[in-house]
Amino acid sequence: MHSPTPPPSQPWSHFTEVFREISFDPHSTFGPHSHHRVEVNYVKRGSCTITTDTICRHFGRGDIMVIPSGVRHYFEVGQHSTALIQLEFRPEIFALIPGLPPSEAMRLPEFLTDSGSTVMAIRSDIRIKSVMRNIIWELHNQAHGYPTVLAALYTQLWILLSRAHADAEERRALKPAIAPLVSLIRREACKPVTINDIAAAAGISSRYMRKLFRQQFDITPGTYLSRCRIDTAKEMLANTDMSIKEVAYACGFTSPRHFVSVFKRLEGIAPFSAFN
């Protein structure tokens, strides 16, 4: 049975209580506090730290923090002014999305409504940033048909957060020896680093690193690094006006030619054909 869109007596703004872009002065602090809303914050500029009863996590430019409902947390801005895109909504909003199967609709809210959950860190996902900005625009302007548009946007947000949550769970399930390597590659992928650089930073030999990746994923660490770069490049090509040359260098490739070659090898099509 499909859930209806919110009726006029319960507008989308009733479920989305904070939707804005905001700046904070250096060393500003808030909390500790908790609330029923789920917080999704994108760091546009600067840095900040979120501290809960169990963790302390640092967020920099391009990072996204997801704070579940009921989690008591303390927010502190770094030494420079910090700008955030803020979206705070009631988790029940996902149950209002038309056509979303109830079993699927409730899987993510269980994570978002568990006060024992931890703060989720998502690194450099421009798709979530884009969806957040579009939701904020629709809520502020409420143009014709905006409830339908918001239903689509929240569906997209639900899918993207679900994927990020699944990725985090998958990384936690990795063998202890390879988990930090996966995190290191994902964090450093868009820098001009090599597998030897990654191995050295992890304090192991590149030969041992290749062995671990063969055992866990049946691919080389070089292929994993390339896949991380190509996944980021696809996001940029789909969601920004950056040229192929700009994307190539932004994703850690040595040249646009190298980028096109790796893209064709992994995707089976050239980037200018895939995103033309």
Side-chain angles (χ1 to χ4, degrees):
M1 183 175 179
H2 293 176
S3 301
T5 54
S9 59
Q10 291 184 315
W12 285 91
S13 57
H14 174 77
F15 296 94
T16 308
E17 299 176 11
V18 177
F19 44 97
R20 62 187 179 183
E21 297 189 19
I22 187 172
S23 296
F24 298 92
D25 293 331
H27 305 295
S28 298
T29 61
F30 296 91
H33 66 287
S34 64
H35 42 67
H36 180 63
R37 299 186 303 273
V38 174
E39 287 190 50
V40 183
N41 298 319
Y42 177 91
V43 183
K44 287 182 59 181
R45 183 185 69 249
S47 63
C48 60
T49 300
I50 295 290
T51 304
T52 71
D53 294 337
T54 57
I55 60 99
C56 178
R57 285 190 173 162
H58 177 81
F59 296 86
R61 181 181 178 184
D63 291 341
I64 297 169
M65 65 193 85
V66 182
I67 306 173
S69 172
V71 172
R72 181 177 171 85
H73 59 282
Y74 177 80
F75 173 83
E76 183 175 9
V77 177
Q79 60 182 345
H80 302 291
S81 63
T82 295
L84 301 180
I85 300 176
Q86 288 190 319
L87 190 63
E88 299 183 16
F89 54 86
R90 300 184 187 187
E92 297 91 346
I93 201 168
F94 291 114
L96 300 171
I97 296 175
L100 193 63
S103 58
E104 292 293 316
M106 295 313 297
R107 185 183 304 166
L108 184 65
E110 284 179 3
F111 160 71
L112 293 177
T113 59
D114 183 1
S115 60
S117 297
T118 188
V119 175
M120 183 166 65
I122 304 173
R123 308 299 180 187
S124 303
D125 194 318
I126 58 177
R127 296 168 300 175
I128 294 179
K129 171 190 173 183
S130 177
V131 171
M132 292 173 66
R133 275 188 158 162
N134 288 337
I135 288 174
I136 291 170
W137 190 95
E138 292 293 339
L139 286 167
H140 277 301
N141 291 277
Q142 298 190 12
H144 175 70
Y146 86 96
T148 302
V149 176
L150 283 170
L153 289 170
Y154 268 105
T155 301
Q156 189 175 0
L157 181 64
W158 177 86
I159 291 170
L160 294 175
L161 291 180
S162 294
R163 289 175 178 175
H165 185 221
D167 286 346
E169 292 295 307
E170 182 179 311
R171 288 195 297 274
R172 276 193 284 271
L174 292 175
K175 295 178 180 178
I178 201 171
L181 295 174
V182 169
S183 296
L184 187 59
I185 288 177
R186 291 191 178 204
R187 186 170 67 248
E188 303 294 321
C190 290
K191 299 177 182 178
V193 296
T194 66
I195 290 303
N196 288 337
D197 295 330
I198 298 292
I204 62 174
S205 69
S206 56
R207 180 179 180 180
Y208 181 56
M209 186 176 178
R210 286 194 294 271
K211 178 181 178 180
L212 290 174
F213 270 79
R214 283 293 187 189
Q215 290 175 340
Q216 180 76 42
F217 302 119
D218 197 27
I219 60 172
T220 66
T223 299
Y224 189 87
L225 174 61
S226 294
R227 170 51 64 192
C228 289
R229 286 172 170 168
I230 292 301
D231 286 345
T232 301
K234 288 163 65 178
E235 292 179 18
M236 290 182 174
L237 290 170
N239 295 285
T240 74
D241 294 326
M242 295 172 67
S243 67
I244 287 179
K245 180 179 179 180
E246 291 170 329
V247 168
Y249 289 120
C251 292
F253 291 95
T254 55
S255 68
R257 185 174 183 178
H258 180 216
F259 166 56
V260 172
S261 175
V262 174
F263 194 102
K264 289 178 69 175
R265 174 166 57 86
L266 294 180
E267 298 296 321
I269 189 173
F272 38 79
S273 298
F275 293 92
N276 191 4

